[in-house]
Amino acid sequence: RDRDLSREGSPLILGIGAGYPSPKTKAAFDIAGADYHRRFTLLDDTTELWRAMWASGATTFHGALLRLTDLPPARAHSQQGPPLWLASGTPQGLRRAARHYDGWLPYPTDADMYAAGWREVTAGALTAARPPAAITPALFATVLVTDDHERGEAHLDAYCRATYGMPSSVVATIQLLLVGHAADIATTLSRNVQAGARHLVIRVGCLDPGDQPERIADALAPVKQHASPSPLRAAGRRRR
């Protein structure tokens, strides 16, 4: 269905990334015939292609890696399509978020890391003559609200093994994983909000979500109090 995806009231935000640096990611790029070591450049080209097609219905594109002609006509949108948020915490990712993207969507394991990253993004935006307000500071977190911590850890571990092929103890060194009482989860998320996050993307950390969306929504209620004066938005993701 042909829908207007302009940013004003857009029903869609695209969170994108170049791929976590790992042998599995490189193997996937090799299968696709793409250069793993230039994946950030390829991502930048791809998003610029999207924007060109959304803005003017461009039928040709010449980027650093992508050189395309005779593209099928695309419907132009009044404000260049939906916002693009970069999911990255590496130094080069922070610089790219500052220069090229509409939002920053990392998953750092603690609020101090988030604050340091956001400082780099805002400084990079100013260097690129962009207002920091043009970039939405978001946070991706995997959450499981439970009063039975041991059982919750088991559910989270099963989820991580099914999703990544790794135990939760390993994933927790890379991503923000929260399991436990609602108050404790709210405290951790509030620290990230105080560090600058203004949009939370919450993924339910179990294979059978059950009532988790409702319990997580309740846990988020006090978190919003720490977002003043800027509004806090939260979006949930369910495993399907």
Side-chain angles (χ1 to χ4, degrees):
R1 182 182 176 186
D2 194 9
R3 298 192 64 180
D4 185 358
L5 299 179
S6 62
R7 300 176 188 209
E8 186 69 27
S10 172
L12 178 67
I13 295 171
L14 295 181
I16 56 178
Y20 183 76
S22 72
K24 288 185 178 180
T25 302
K26 185 178 184 306
F29 273 76
D30 290 343
I31 291 171
D35 188 343
Y36 167 80
H37 299 289
R38 301 195 70 185
R39 63 191 187 280
F40 276 101
T41 302
L42 179 60
L43 178 66
D44 289 344
D45 269 8
T46 301
T47 55
E48 288 307 308
L49 169 61
W50 292 346
R51 284 170 168 160
M53 296 181 75
W54 289 331
S56 63
T59 57
T60 62
F61 180 81
H62 300 282
L65 292 178
L66 295 180
R67 294 172 177 82
L68 306 171
T69 58
D70 298 324
L71 293 168
R75 175 186 170 188
H77 297 277
S78 58
Q79 297 184 35
Q80 299 185 7
L84 303 178
W85 291 6
L86 182 63
S88 180
T90 65
Q92 63 176 331
L94 297 177
R95 292 192 293 270
R96 279 178 157 83
R99 293 196 304 263
H100 302 304
Y101 292 90
D102 308 303
W104 178 52
L105 181 62
Y107 43 60
T109 55
D110 65 60
D112 289 340
M113 291 175 62
Y114 190 95
W118 181 233
R119 285 194 296 270
E120 290 293 323
V121 172
T122 55
L126 292 172
T127 300
R130 294 185 72 198
I135 306 166
T136 299
L139 172 73
F140 182 85
T142 301
V143 174
L144 181 62
V145 179
T146 179
D147 295 327
D148 187 336
H149 194 273
E150 183 176 352
R151 185 179 180 187
E153 287 283 6
H155 282 300
L156 182 60
D157 185 70
Y159 177 83
C160 288
R161 290 177 186 273
T163 303
Y164 299 109
M166 297 186 291
S168 59
S169 58
V170 174
V171 179
T173 66
I174 304 167
Q175 300 183 15
L176 180 59
L177 305 182
L178 301 175
V179 55
H181 297 292
D184 295 334
I185 289 171
T187 297
T188 300
L189 292 176
S190 293
R191 292 194 187 106
N192 282 276
V193 170
Q194 291 169 332
R198 286 297 173 269
H199 191 117
L200 303 181
V201 178
I202 304 297
R203 177 174 62 176
V204 178
C206 61
L207 296 173
D208 181 10
D211 64 352
Q212 281 296 309
E214 291 74 25
R215 298 187 71 177
I216 291 172
D218 291 341
L220 286 175
V223 179
K224 296 180 180 180
Q225 299 175 6
H226 296 281
S228 181
S230 300
L232 173 70
R233 298 184 63 193
R237 294 184 66 215
R238 283 187 120 169
R239 181 182 176 90
R240 296 186 183 274

